[in-house]
Amino acid sequence: MISHNAGRRAILAAGAASLALPAIGRAQSAPVKVGVLLPTSGILAYSGQVAARGIQLGAALGRGAGGPAIEIVNYDTQSKPDTGRLGVESLVRDGCSVLIGAWDSAATISAAQACEAAKVPIVVNIASAPQITEQGFTQLFRNFTPAGVLIRAAVQRIKEATDSRSPRPATAVVLYANDTFGNAILGALDKIWAQLEVPIKILDRIGYDEKARDLSVEVAKARATGADILLPITRVNDAISIVREMVKQKWNPQAIMSPGSPGPYEKSFTDALGKYADDYMVSVPWYDPRNPTTRALVARFERENPGQRFELNAGFSCEAVQIVLDALIRARSADPAAIHAALRTTNIADHPMYGGPIQFDAKGQNNNIGCVLLQDRDGAPLVVGPAEVAMGEVRYPLVPFDKR
Amino acid sequence: MSAPLLQLLGISRRFGGVAALDGLDLDLPQGGITALVGPNGAGKTTCFSIIAGALSPTSGQVKFAGETITGLPPESVCRRGIARTFQVVRPMRDLSVLENAMIGAFGWTRHVATARLAAADALAMVGLTAKANAAVGHLTLPDRKMLELARALSTRPRLLLLDEVMAGLRPTEADAVVAVLRRLAAGGLTILLVEHVMRIVMQAATRVVVLHHGALIADGTPAQVVQDPRVIESYLGASPTDPP
Amino acid sequence: MLLSWLNILAGGVLIGIVYALIGSGLTIMFGVMRVVNFAHGEMVVAGMYMGYFAHSLLGLPAPLAAIIAAVVMFAFGYLLQRLLVEKFMARPQHIQFILFIGIALVITGLHLAIFGPDAHAVDGPITFATISLGPLSLDLVRVQAAGGAAVLILSLVLFLRLAPLGQAMRAAADNRTGSLVIGLNVPRICALASGIGAACAGAAGALISPVFDTEPYLGLEFTLIAFVTVIVGGLGSLAGALVGGVLIGLAEASAALAIDPQLKTAFSYGLLLLVLLLRPRGLFGADAG
Amino acid sequence: MQVDRRLGWIAGAALFAGCAIAAPWLDGFTMSLLTLVFLFAWFGQASNLAMGFTGQLSLGHALFAGLGGYAVVIITTRYGLSPWFGLLIGMPIAAAAGAAIGWLAFRFGVRDVYFALLAIAVAEMMRVIFSNWNFVGGTGGIFLPALSPTNEPLRTLRGGALFYYAAALFLATAGTALLAWLRGARIGYLWRALRDDEAAARALGVRAPLHKILACAISAAMTALGGALYAHLNGVIFPDSMMGMALSIQIIIGPILGGLGTVFGPLVGALVVVPLGEISGTLGQSLGISGMNSIGYGLALILLIGLLPGGLWPAIVAGVQSLWRRR
């Protein structure tokens, strides 16, 4: 439950507004169907299911706050690229007037094309390929940072965190997963590193096959560069392998700072690595830990989903539901065109994820998403930057693995 | 008679250390039915496979109509006019009887209709017309043997290599095949056949060539060969006077 | 530099021995049954789950878990053959392919449904421990996995050479119709082979569960690794599987080190291609006359 | 044989004509599903040609789909040229790749399982190479720009759902007709003879290397054409999704289930397999068990091949035949 202190917060505001609008008040008419496309099975099932829990939470919050009545209709993309289009058609046939999805960039593009034809808006909860909002889609709204923007913020965080350190790091090495995501991040990293004039020299960029199960060689190569800090761009499994190899190879750089990639904030990472997970840093979009509404929401999520951590997949999915609810209230109708028009003028100041108000530009991109610096501390991620949301200080340099 | 149609010059073939053929020389003139006989392991099938291009000889040369064909792949050998049948029948199961017989005709025609006519002719020659549209799975063994023959004929060969085409047939059935072969030979086709049953050899062949341990030990008319003491010793056993 | 080379190559050999165990399972099934198990990788993953749970619930080390996994997977493989695969033995290869794709999908689906999509990582000090061997510093979990795999391969070889049942299996592998004639119970021998094949996969899975994290969708990768291993060594040959596994482990490690880590899988496929072309039946395969 | 063909023509003509006429009344979902059905029927016909007609079990067909898809996408997005030109380049490249694999296999006597693995090895190597090749976008893939409002589908080979539906329907019809024609043509006979018994066929003068390589090349070029449409349909191309094992397997399941070597098998197979994937997805979704789709799909595959030895199409033919006789 959300405390009454949060009454001014958007979700409750949404509830109040809905009471004033009998047209879609929940007792008065059939619920609006909201279609959700996520890869809840197949190779991306892990992230897809975390996102699905975020959607459930968002819907539950809306219900609890007396928001407009909605019915969530799920579609499993099975992690296949060609199901995005099929999923949209299926959901539209089932009467959905607005969609949320689709987590991975391939299914999102495929879905966006069908949305374009069906004239049904889609709120992209997660998908980072910059191209998604550059293809000229009119029905697509993305409340997630494209790789370039994410990395600009991430590099900013890294620069802040290393600027006044002693010893001051002079060199870095990149270890990156050579997949769609890793490549997008790496491409942006090089550009922005130069633009922001980070005074740290990147010595080498070592890619590895995304399917590699064994990263000993890669870590040995990275270690051999003698770099002061390691910049890993990973998924969660490879992040775990990298730390294990570092422990075994007794490599203690001054810091491990991941520019905007999954892994270190996930529960399986901290569970698998225990004390060796600590001090690993990552800059990612994250929830605002100083916002009491958000804190209540996080607590509720972790209570309702034992053993799960509220992270950005859940957070942005939850927020996507909030965006849809907000649009439904203002649209006063279940008509996709009206919802589309309402989404265009979205302006939500108070929302769980750190950043400015949620607004979409002409391309459907929200440019106000913030980025924090997380550092694992005692088996959980702690926000250590920027100052306005930090809950603790950066620990630098990292405690050598053999001294833990 | 002019230059021989087929010439084997010093053909040897070794499998590991064993010589299946050891310096075999053989001339086959145009026309007639020649039987290649010999005990098991004498190298008859090896000899066929080398002529047909399925095997390469370790040394020696094969000449056909004056051209060296040693080492050519089987399809090229066939396209030059040598057709063979297999000891174990190998029909194509997915094709009907007529379609099986058409395959050989595609070596010389590109037209399906022409091939169909040629296949029908070949089937008629071996008496399979009635079963042209049957599935090969339903054929009896004699019929399959005839199909094997018809397929070879549809390639329009100048030389036909028949590997035990009458094995497993009853005497009356075998006689019918002999009649077919005689008719073909009379039409100018040269036939070289491997055969075990001496009765058939005597009946069908105009010439008999005897192989033993990969070498030629006798060559002559059937009557001459059965009197040859080396043949009697190595192959026919102790009683040459008995009709086999 | 030389030392790191040595370390990495040694790591390649260690993981190669585990690949060899995975490959042995595939090769035995092919040798006896003439069936290509496209669900082999999924059976490895099943073993990985057993290894993970044996560790996290019972605190068992991987080699003990491997024994449990081998027993369970043996029963699975045996029953699978008797109840299902047996009916497909005489069917064409492409039909058997679909059968095993179906089996693989069911196993993967069960893993996802039961254990969820999360990666299960064995935790605890053992995953960080190394042992020093002269100048080499090797991961304890890898040494343990390779050691376990080597023991299992060796016992398998002894079984096939010495035990009457093993000899019967070899006879059946050499000549199927022949062994029918001399009165061997071929269906039972096939079921045994299937059981042993699955047991090898399961045991290998349990052994590597502390090395690689367990997730439902690893199957296809392991199947491909098993194929590469076995084809390089020669389908149907145990010695071939061993050599193939070690070669692949070495090739991947040295390619990653000397050329580019991202291309290491391309190298093992390159090796496969080379072997296929130069020795189509593999390094140790019987030449098909 | 006769029933097979007559039934096939009637059913095929009715299906294709029906689907063409029904287009304006189809809802978006059915149309999208049928689009995939027809696209995979085309892929299925392509692999049927190599696998069913010539007997070469290829598990690497995604390579050709990828080559076709990449050629068209690169030609249009990088060079701004016509996608038709892309096809003109992509199909011969795929054909050459297919021919090269066929030649290698023939030259070195790689057959059966070994041929399947040769194809996998080449496809996987190319996938890794494409993943690391910046010119083709690496693993980042290539995204297609949104269509302009004045888009002419026949010029850009892209369009709305109806365009893809029509294109896939055209391919499926053309593919089925092509295979029907090839089956009765000289080369079809030669392919089937080679498949049934290569040594016997060669002894009858069938030029095995030429015809096998030709089959690989034609099959590859067909797959490349399908790949181009698939890439356009998805709006994006990645090495993983277009060259991976998953697609290779997906391509060959349909024709095998439908009845390998038959003209209508791949079509029937696609009609069953594609909706089956969708139904099993819905099943998993409605039960709330996320692995259920995979379990359902796998069980259905096992059941279908267990119960119908020759595939769906021969079973349908046999069924109709027995009904016929009973009357």
Side-chain angles (χ1 to χ4, degrees):
Chain A
M1 283 300 290
I2 299 170
S3 77
H4 279 283
N5 291 346
R8 288 158 293 145
R9 307 290 174 197
I11 289 170
L12 284 194
S18 77
L19 292 176
L21 300 166
I24 52 165
R26 72 160 113 184
Q28 278 77 11
S29 64
V32 179
K33 288 184 174 175
V34 178
V36 175
L37 293 132
L38 285 172
T40 49
S41 70
I43 195 116
L44 306 170
Y46 173 73
S47 310
Q49 292 193 11
V50 174
R53 288 187 204 106
I55 298 278
Q56 279 163 17
L57 177 67
L61 288 174
R63 268 197 308 278
I70 57 168
E71 180 192 338
I72 300 284
V73 184
N74 289 302
Y75 183 90
D76 176 9
T77 63
Q78 305 185 49
S79 310
K80 291 188 223 159
D82 56 13
T83 47
R85 176 184 285 274
L86 210 51
V88 171
E89 303 281 14
S90 164
L91 293 170
V92 168
R93 187 182 59 170
D94 289 348
C96 295
S97 22
V98 55
L99 309 177
I100 296 173
W103 202 87
D104 69 310
S105 299
T108 304
I109 282 285
S110 168
Q113 295 182 61
C115 286
E116 213 55 28
K119 295 271 171 273
V120 172
I122 181 165
V123 177
V124 176
N125 52 344
I126 293 149
S128 68
Q131 295 94 328
I132 287 174
T133 44
E134 300 300 323
Q135 311 301 309
F137 295 120
T138 59
Q139 298 293 325
L140 183 141
F141 300 90
R142 173 159 66 176
N143 185 44
F144 193 75
T145 34
V149 179
L150 171 65
I151 291 309
R152 174 168 295 275
V155 172
Q156 193 68 51
R157 294 288 95 79
I158 290 173
K159 194 174 177 218
E160 287 163 15
T162 51
D163 257 352
S164 51
R165 299 292 158 193
S166 78
R168 195 191 160 104
T171 54
V173 59
V174 179
L175 257 179
Y176 69 99
N178 183 21
D179 59 7
T180 309
F181 174 81
N183 260 304
I185 299 283
L186 181 72
L189 183 74
D190 276 337
K191 217 178 298 162
I192 290 158
W193 203 263
Q195 280 174 11
L196 294 183
E197 295 172 344
V198 184
I200 300 172
K201 187 174 187 306
I202 297 183
L203 298 174
D204 201 359
R205 293 156 195 84
I206 300 167
Y208 52 83
D209 190 335
E210 58 186 308
K211 290 187 178 132
R213 300 285 148 201
D214 175 0
L215 296 174
S216 51
V217 183
E218 289 81 349
V219 171
K221 277 193 151 180
R223 184 189 178 190
T225 63
D228 295 328
I229 55 177
L230 169 64
L231 306 170
I233 301 169
T234 61
R235 302 283 183 182
V236 63
N237 291 354
D238 33 345
I240 296 172
S241 305
I242 287 172
V243 175
R244 279 195 187 139
E245 283 303 330
M246 291 176 75
V247 175
K248 288 175 194 167
Q249 298 183 14
K250 303 184 179 66
W251 179 28
N252 296 296
Q254 291 176 22
I256 309 171
M257 306 181 101
S258 175
S261 63
Y265 52 78
E266 287 175 34
K267 198 159 185 306
S268 54
F269 180 87
T270 46
D271 282 357
L273 293 172
K275 61 187 175 185
Y276 298 115
D278 282 1
D279 299 358
Y280 195 125
M281 283 182 267
V282 59
S283 38
V284 282
W286 197 249
Y287 63 83
D288 178 353
R290 291 193 178 178
N291 181 336
T293 324
T294 306
R295 279 217 300 275
L297 180 147
V298 171
R300 174 170 175 176
F301 180 90
E302 292 180 352
R303 193 169 61 241
E304 288 175 358
N305 299 287
Q308 300 291 331
R309 179 175 290 156
F310 187 83
E311 34 80 306
L312 62 90
N313 284 302
F316 278 104
S317 300
C318 182
E319 210 167 86
V321 181
Q322 190 188 351
I323 292 167
V324 166
L325 286 172
D326 172 74
L328 285 176
I329 291 163
R330 289 180 293 109
R332 305 179 183 207
S333 130
D335 173 36
I339 299 170
H340 181 261
L343 281 169
R344 277 248 159 273
T345 55
T346 296
N347 187 356
I348 303 173
D350 193 355
H351 54 92
M353 305 308 278
Y354 168 60
I358 300 174
Q359 292 165 340
F360 297 109
D361 68 9
K363 291 172 176 174
Q365 176 65 43
N366 175 13
N367 294 311
N368 299 333
I369 299 170
C371 175
V372 306
L373 183 67
L374 294 174
Q375 186 168 37
D376 281 330
R377 204 69 66 72
D378 302 323
L382 181 75
V383 178
V384 292
E388 56 168 330
V389 285
M391 305 294 281
E393 278 292 308
V394 176
R395 190 147 77 197
Y396 191 100
L398 60 73
V399 179
F401 292 116
D402 49 357
K403 300 220 168 62
R404 298 186 183 188
Chain B
M1 231 176 265
S2 59
L5 183 65
L6 179 78
Q7 262 185 306
L8 302 184
L9 303 170
I11 297 285
S12 295
R13 170 73 204 198
R14 267 165 234 291
F15 293 107
V18 186
L21 285 178
D22 194 8
L24 177 68
D25 290 307
L26 182 68
D27 282 5
L28 220 57
Q30 177 84 44
I33 302 179
T34 305
L36 187 61
V37 300
N40 277 332
K44 301 174 303 244
T45 296
T46 306
C47 177
F48 262 34
S49 295
I50 286 172
I51 299 171
L55 271 182
S56 289
T58 315
S59 65
Q61 275 199 335
V62 183
K63 283 190 167 182
F64 181 69
E67 183 194 4
T68 305
I69 58 164
T70 330
L72 286 181
E75 58 269 27
S76 306
V77 173
C78 177
R79 285 162 164 264
R80 281 168 172 74
I82 303 180
R84 77 173 295 189
T85 65
F86 289 89
Q87 195 175 349
V88 180
V89 291
R90 308 178 81 156
M92 285 124 189
R93 312 209 141 266
D94 184 52
L95 303 180
S96 73
V97 170
L98 183 74
E99 288 171 334
N100 258 278
M102 283 163 68
I103 301 301
F106 284 124
W108 50 266
T109 177
R110 305 192 70 81
H111 302 289
V112 176
T114 315
R116 193 166 275 132
L117 288 175
D121 283 350
L123 290 179
M125 236 177 285
V126 301
L128 271 182
T129 306
K131 291 169 182 159
N133 289 317
V136 288
H138 297 142
L139 291 187
T140 58
L141 180 68
D143 283 349
R144 278 192 236 178
K145 295 249 173 190
M146 287 304 97
L147 175 57
E148 189 87 5
L149 182 57
R151 263 189 350 191
L153 288 175
S154 71
T155 65
R156 295 198 168 163
R158 294 166 67 188
L159 170 64
L160 188 58
L161 308 175
L162 301 175
D163 200 351
E164 300 205 12
V165 77
M166 277 158 280
L169 298 192
R170 282 192 290 268
T172 49
E173 292 163 354
D175 288 344
V177 178
V178 170
V180 171
L181 296 186
R182 284 207 165 136
R183 217 163 47 236
L184 291 169
L189 184 62
T190 312
I191 299 176
L192 179 63
L193 62 96
V194 163
E195 195 47 73
H196 262 312
V197 187
M198 274 320 273
R199 188 181 69 82
I200 293 169
V201 172
M202 303 297 291
Q203 210 179 5
T206 49
R207 174 186 173 197
V208 177
V209 177
V210 186
L211 277 187
H212 186 54
H213 290 316
L216 195 144
I217 56 166
D219 184 350
T221 64
Q224 289 167 342
V225 166
V226 290
Q227 300 301 330
D228 190 315
R230 289 172 65 201
V231 175
I232 295 163
E233 184 192 337
S234 70
Y235 178 52
L236 296 175
S239 51
T241 46
D242 283 357
Chain C
M1 188 61 202
L2 181 70
L3 199 60
S4 77
W5 259 93
L6 275 179
N7 263 321
I8 286 160
L9 292 183
V13 170
L14 291 179
I15 214 69
I17 294 174
V18 181
Y19 290 171
L21 179 60
I22 299 176
S24 301
L26 192 72
T27 224
I28 284 186
M29 289 176 88
F30 181 81
V32 177
M33 299 152 65
R34 297 280 140 190
V35 161
V36 180
N37 179 11
F38 277 91
H40 205 63
E42 277 71 14
M43 297 182 182
V44 175
V45 178
M48 289 178 77
Y49 275 108
M50 289 180 223
Y52 170 79
F53 283 107
H55 172 88
S56 62
L57 301 179
L58 309 171
L60 292 180
L64 282 181
I67 295 172
I68 298 176
V71 171
V72 174
M73 290 309 289
F74 177 85
F76 173 77
Y78 191 95
L79 290 176
L80 186 71
Q81 171 69 19
R82 291 258 74 161
L83 301 178
L84 189 63
V85 180
E86 202 169 276
K87 296 167 181 63
F88 291 84
M89 296 287 284
R91 306 280 295 277
Q93 221 150 41
H94 54 261
I95 297 286
Q96 294 172 352
F97 170 73
I98 299 290
L99 170 70
F100 281 103
I101 290 294
I103 294 172
L105 283 168
V106 172
I107 298 179
T108 303
L110 284 173
H111 284 151
L112 181 61
I114 299 170
F115 307 117
D118 318 34
H120 291 75
V122 166
D123 50 1
I126 187 171
T127 53
F128 301 98
T130 54
I131 57 171
S132 298
L133 209 81
L136 296 177
S137 159
L138 302 170
D139 297 355
L140 185 56
V141 283
R142 278 163 202 264
V143 172
Q144 181 185 279
V151 168
L152 286 171
I153 295 172
L154 193 69
S155 8
L156 197 57
V157 170
L158 290 178
F159 169 74
L160 290 176
R161 296 266 154 205
L162 303 178
L165 205 56
Q167 289 166 341
M169 278 177 70
R170 281 173 56 215
D174 287 345
N175 187 344
R176 212 177 136 76
T177 36
S179 44
L180 266 173
V181 172
I182 62 168
L184 290 176
N185 184 346
V186 172
R188 189 161 152 261
I189 285 173
C190 284
L192 275 177
S194 170
I196 292 176
C200 287
L207 286 169
I208 50 168
S209 62
V211 185
F212 304 137
D213 302 337
T214 308
E215 319 166 46
Y217 289 96
L218 297 174
L220 191 56
E221 282 166 55
F222 283 119
T223 302
L224 288 177
I225 285 175
F227 279 137
V228 177
T229 299
V230 161
I231 295 288
V232 167
L235 201 48
S237 153
L238 266 188
L242 189 58
V243 172
V246 173
L247 265 182
I248 296 295
L250 272 176
E252 290 200 348
S254 42
L257 198 63
I259 301 154
D260 186 345
Q262 298 166 61
L263 293 175
K264 68 183 177 189
T265 43
F267 264 86
S268 48
Y269 288 114
L271 185 64
L272 170 70
L273 218 58
L274 210 65
V275 170
L276 268 179
L277 297 183
L278 298 180
R279 272 191 72 88
R281 301 289 169 267
L283 296 177
F284 283 71
D287 274 316
Chain D
M1 270 310 160
Q2 287 310 310
V3 178
D4 172 347
R5 210 144 320 147
R6 213 176 309 147
L7 186 65
W9 284 118
I10 296 167
L15 178 77
F16 289 131
C19 286
I21 293 166
W25 290 280
L26 292 178
D27 68 284
F29 176 73
T30 315
M31 190 177 269
S32 290
L33 192 66
L34 283 174
T35 303
L36 285 179
V37 166
F38 292 132
L39 180 61
F40 276 90
W42 166 260
F43 278 140
Q45 292 293 20
S47 63
N48 189 27
L49 198 149
M51 194 167 47
F53 279 22
T54 332
Q56 310 188 73
L57 179 62
S58 166
L59 288 181
H61 259 56
L63 168 65
F64 310 128
L67 289 175
Y70 269 106
V72 169
V73 170
I74 287 171
I75 287 290
T76 53
T77 61
R78 290 262 199 288
Y79 300 102
L81 297 172
S82 161
W84 289 100
F85 185 60
L87 286 178
L88 217 60
I89 291 177
M91 287 172 66
I93 289 177
I101 292 175
W103 180 80
L104 282 175
F106 190 85
R107 167 70 184 72
F108 295 96
V110 181
R111 283 155 211 250
D112 301 332
V113 194
Y114 300 92
F115 180 81
L117 287 161
L118 174 76
I120 294 180
V122 176
E124 283 289 289
M125 268 179 79
M126 287 306 286
R127 181 185 65 76
V128 177
I129 289 169
F130 269 60
S131 298
N132 288 283
W133 187 9
N134 283 332
F135 176 70
V136 300
T139 47
I142 303 175
F143 289 70
L144 293 166
L147 289 170
S148 78
T150 57
N151 173 57
E152 297 161 41
L154 283 178
R155 209 171 52 74
T156 59
L157 289 182
R158 293 176 62 202
L162 186 64
F163 165 72
Y164 291 118
Y165 175 76
L169 180 60
F170 172 76
L171 283 187
T173 316
T176 308
L178 178 68
L179 261 80
W181 176 70
L182 282 175
R183 198 184 151 88
R186 172 174 177 268
I187 196 165
Y189 284 112
L190 300 183
W191 279 333
R192 282 149 68 208
L194 278 172
R195 177 197 61 192
D196 280 1
D197 192 329
E198 188 172 322
R202 296 184 77 179
L204 293 171
V206 180
R207 282 180 288 206
L210 174 73
H211 292 302
K212 284 181 106 166
I213 291 169
L214 202 58
C216 286
I218 297 175
S219 175
M222 285 175 73
T223 312
L225 179 55
L229 185 68
Y230 193 47
H232 276 187
L233 181 68
N234 288 339
V236 62
I237 185 165
F238 297 107
D240 247 22
S241 58
M242 284 294 286
M243 281 188 174
M245 267 293 280
L247 182 62
S248 290
I249 292 174
Q250 214 181 335
I251 286 176
I252 67 166
I253 287 180
I256 296 178
L257 272 193
L260 215 49
T262 64
V263 170
F264 295 95
L267 182 64
V268 179
L271 273 167
V272 169
V273 169
V274 174
L276 187 64
E278 190 57 24
I279 291 165
S280 59
T282 315
L283 177 77
Q285 195 78 66
S286 60
L287 292 178
I289 304 170
S290 56
M292 213 42 226
N293 56 337
S294 173
I295 299 173
Y297 190 76
L299 283 179
L301 288 189
I302 297 172
L303 270 179
L304 283 173
I305 51 155
L307 298 177
L308 309 170
L312 285 158
W313 178 245
I316 294 172
V317 173
V320 170
Q321 245 164 351
S322 75
L323 274 180
W324 202 258
R325 264 188 230 116
R326 216 171 290 164
R327 279 198 352 188

